[in-house]
Amino acid sequence: MKHHLSTLSVLHYVYGTLVCLFGLGLMSIVLVGGFLDSDWLARQAEEAPPQWLGGLISTIGWILFLFMETWGILNLVSGYLISMRKGRTLSFITAALNCLNVPFGIALGIYAFITLSDAQVRQEYGVPM
């Protein structure tokens, strides 16, 4: 089971890094919102977009960015805690959140649930049977 825990730790590191990179890609939504609010677009367009549209899109972009970065960091922390054999509950919570993403997140979440529920792993974490 130690091999499964080290594999699970590495998978959390990789998945957390990919989620953080995807979150950085979502910053393009914030840039689109800023572009819609720009004076240049108002001068160039015959009919400028509504004043509130750019702010709304920027706000949605920031919320998505913060959610994705938090999710990615949570995976990175979970990977670290798995390697230290601590924070089993946090790893379960992270696995549940990962199940929101199909297909890779759900595969990682199910693998984490199965691995962390094993009797040897519970003993490794010091959880009473």
Side-chain angles (χ1 to χ4, degrees):
M1 264 308 168
K2 286 185 179 185
H3 175 69
H4 287 288
L5 284 175
S6 63
T7 301
L8 185 62
S9 175
V10 169
L11 288 174
H12 273 270
Y13 283 133
V14 170
Y15 189 70
T17 302
L18 290 174
V19 169
C20 285
L21 288 174
F22 183 74
L24 286 175
L26 288 175
M27 286 300 288
S28 62
I29 295 173
V30 175
L31 295 174
V32 167
F35 175 72
L36 289 175
D37 271 347
S38 70
D39 293 333
W40 180 84
L41 182 65
R43 286 191 308 259
Q44 298 297 323
E46 291 178 15
E47 185 177 329
Q51 189 69 26
W52 55 269
L53 185 62
L56 176 69
I57 291 176
S58 290
T59 302
I60 290 171
W62 279 112
I63 290 170
L64 289 174
F65 169 75
L66 289 174
F67 175 73
M68 293 302 287
E69 293 303 311
T70 303
W71 187 7
I73 291 170
L74 191 61
N75 270 285
L76 293 171
V77 168
S78 178
Y80 174 74
L81 291 176
I82 290 170
S83 69
M84 301 311 251
R85 309 301 190 258
K86 296 180 181 177
R88 186 169 167 262
T89 304
L90 179 75
S91 295
F92 271 118
I93 293 169
T94 304
L97 281 174
N98 287 341
C99 286
L100 295 174
N101 187 359
V102 177
F104 301 114
I106 200 163
L108 179 58
I110 290 171
Y111 181 61
F113 283 134
I114 291 171
T115 303
L116 293 172
S117 297
D118 187 68
Q120 291 176 344
V121 172
R122 291 175 64 166
Q123 188 177 23
E124 186 82 21
Y125 274 87
V127 176
M129 297 304 229

